[in-house]
Amino acid sequence: MRRYGKDADEDDIRSRPGRRGSRPRTRIRPKHEDAAEAMILTVDRGRMTCLVDGGTKDERLVTAMKARELGRKGVVVGDIVNLVGDLSGAPDTLARIVRVEERTSVLRRTADDDDPYERIVVANAEQLAIVTALANPEPRPRLIDRCLVAAYDAGMEPLLVLTKSDLAPADELLESYAALGIDYVVTRHDELATAGAEAVREYLRGKTTVFIGHSGVGKTTLVNALVPDQQRSTGHVNAVTGRGRHTTVSALALRLPPPPGVKPGSRKALDPGWVIDTPGFRSFGLSHIDPSRVILAFPDLEPGTEGCPRACSHDEPDCALDAWVADGHAEAARLYSLRRLLAAKEAHEGD
């Protein structure tokens, strides 16, 4: 049975929309000019916890997911993003991340030195706190060197945080890094609840600081002391292997409490600084690091590289840095430290 006559045209035919509707597809994406700015605090299985209107009386936490137009672009803790959708922060609501703002810094690592895949740890941080125990477990200087290389490559200021000074002195380890001129702070476990935590906070005020360190060094214990109202689970060190157990499974940004005596509503009260706690690691690959970017962290040595041969590793007979130091432009200890850091890119057992 024919539904239409032999002279039927398109006006006689009824089109039935499919499951996806009949709206024509287009490459023109909405601009989302009314999108709200937010900071990513944590990422958990495709859901991001975002802080909207941070530092104001209207600040709130909003759960969001990536919009399809972002494609495979990843979103990490510390990212500044733009949100649309339900921004009330009410339970069971979900917003969409439609844009990721340009990052000011990116901390990267690889699983090992043979892994070509870069993993972005955090974004937009200004300082990298390398947490190392002085005992139980023993310090691993080559691993510290690797973290320093990652910090210099990312353009971040390093901070050396030494824990458990009640078990071993810090002098010998600090002496090996004296030529780098990096800031450091030494803590004791029995003082973290009092003056110890405040001494560390003085280095973190008004900055976004990433805390990294291998398992068992007391990193999460220190973070709990710095932000008492956000307690994260802690573990212990295996007495047989001397290694810690992973207890922090995802990165999390935590706001520091305001300094004592600060007027409520003031700038220091609203922006006291952020601490980003990250999972402990047992290796820190540097296959993605370009040695030419590490030298930029040594402004007293960098001009001396102009006479170096092409693709100089800065640790070979023709390196111009030897003559630069011999002429008195920089100290020999600084050149030694640079070469030690560059050598840290080579994998060794115990790193």
Side-chain angles (χ1 to χ4, degrees):
M1 180 178 176
R2 296 182 64 178
R3 179 176 298 176
Y4 308 108
K6 62 179 181 179
D7 297 325
D9 58 18
E10 62 270 15
D11 293 332
D12 297 320
I13 299 175
R14 292 181 300 170
S15 62
R16 183 175 298 173
R19 289 179 301 173
R20 296 180 179 270
S22 58
R23 187 172 59 182
R25 300 182 66 180
T26 176
R27 294 179 180 272
I28 302 175
R29 308 306 302 174
K31 295 183 178 180
H32 299 299
E33 295 177 347
D34 59 341
E37 190 173 271
M39 174 183 174
I40 303 293
L41 300 186
T42 189
V43 178
D44 183 16
R45 291 168 291 185
R47 295 293 186 267
M48 295 77 176
T49 301
C50 312
L51 180 67
V52 180
D53 292 332
T56 70
K57 63 179 181 180
D58 297 323
E59 74 172 25
R60 58 204 178 277
L61 297 180
V62 175
T63 302
M65 63 179 294
K66 286 197 315 176
R68 182 177 298 178
E69 54 257 41
L70 288 181
R72 297 177 62 87
K73 185 173 184 178
V75 180
V76 299
V77 174
D79 267 328
I80 304 299
V81 299
N82 295 137
L83 303 179
V84 299
D86 193 332
L87 305 182
S88 64
D92 301 323
T93 59
L94 189 65
R96 286 188 302 131
I97 299 174
V98 295
R99 274 192 302 271
V100 180
E101 298 293 338
E102 184 178 356
R103 294 161 173 164
T104 58
S105 67
V106 177
L107 178 65
R108 301 179 175 92
R109 64 179 285 255
T110 55
D112 53 55
D113 289 331
D114 298 325
D115 184 5
Y117 180 69
E118 296 181 14
R119 293 162 176 82
I120 298 180
V121 182
V122 295
N124 300 320
E126 303 154 85
Q127 187 169 238
L128 181 65
I130 305 167
V131 184
T132 301
L134 293 168
N136 191 34
E138 296 297 319
R140 296 161 66 181
R142 286 191 59 83
L143 190 57
I144 298 174
D145 292 348
R146 285 173 164 257
C147 295
L148 288 172
V149 171
Y152 292 141
D153 176 74
M156 301 168 60
E157 289 293 329
L159 171 66
L160 192 58
V161 181
L162 304 182
T163 63
K164 306 182 183 181
S165 63
D166 49 323
L167 301 180
D171 297 343
E172 183 177 352
L173 186 62
L174 289 176
E175 184 179 356
S176 64
Y177 293 97
L180 292 174
I182 60 177
D183 290 332
Y184 66 87
V185 59
V186 182
T187 68
R188 295 170 56 98
H189 181 75
D190 54 357
E191 294 180 352
L192 286 181
T194 55
E198 189 58 33
V200 179
R201 288 194 195 103
E202 291 301 317
Y203 290 91
L204 314 178
R205 297 292 184 197
K207 302 177 182 178
T208 299
T209 304
V210 185
F211 275 62
I212 64 171
H214 64 87
S215 305
V217 299
K219 174 175 56 64
T220 301
T221 300
L222 177 59
V223 170
N224 286 341
L226 294 171
V227 191
D229 59 341
Q230 296 283 343
Q231 295 295 303
R232 310 197 78 187
S233 60
T234 59
H236 64 280
V237 177
N238 189 303
V240 177
T241 65
R243 293 175 177 262
R245 179 181 179 183
H246 297 301
T247 54
T248 301
V249 296
S250 61
L252 174 64
L254 302 169
R255 183 160 46 196
L256 289 168
V262 170
K263 181 180 178 181
S266 64
R267 181 176 180 181
K268 288 187 178 180
L270 296 176
D271 186 22
W274 290 86
V275 167
I276 301 179
D277 188 17
T278 61
F281 56 81
R282 290 176 180 168
S283 65
F284 203 101
L286 298 176
S287 63
H288 61 288
I289 298 294
D290 182 356
S292 64
R293 295 203 297 262
V294 179
I295 189 68
L296 298 178
F298 293 78
D300 51 339
L301 295 174
E302 195 269 337
T305 62
E306 295 180 0
C308 287
R310 184 183 298 272
C312 180
S313 66
H314 304 310
D315 192 14
E316 53 191 63
D318 294 335
C319 180
L321 290 178
D322 291 301
W324 181 261
V325 170
D327 292 340
H329 297 293
E331 296 181 2
R334 291 279 289 173
L335 179 57
Y336 170 77
S337 296
L338 169 66
R339 288 175 171 169
R340 188 182 71 186
L341 293 182
L342 293 177
K345 278 177 53 64
E346 302 176 7
H348 290 268
E349 185 178 357
D351 285 358

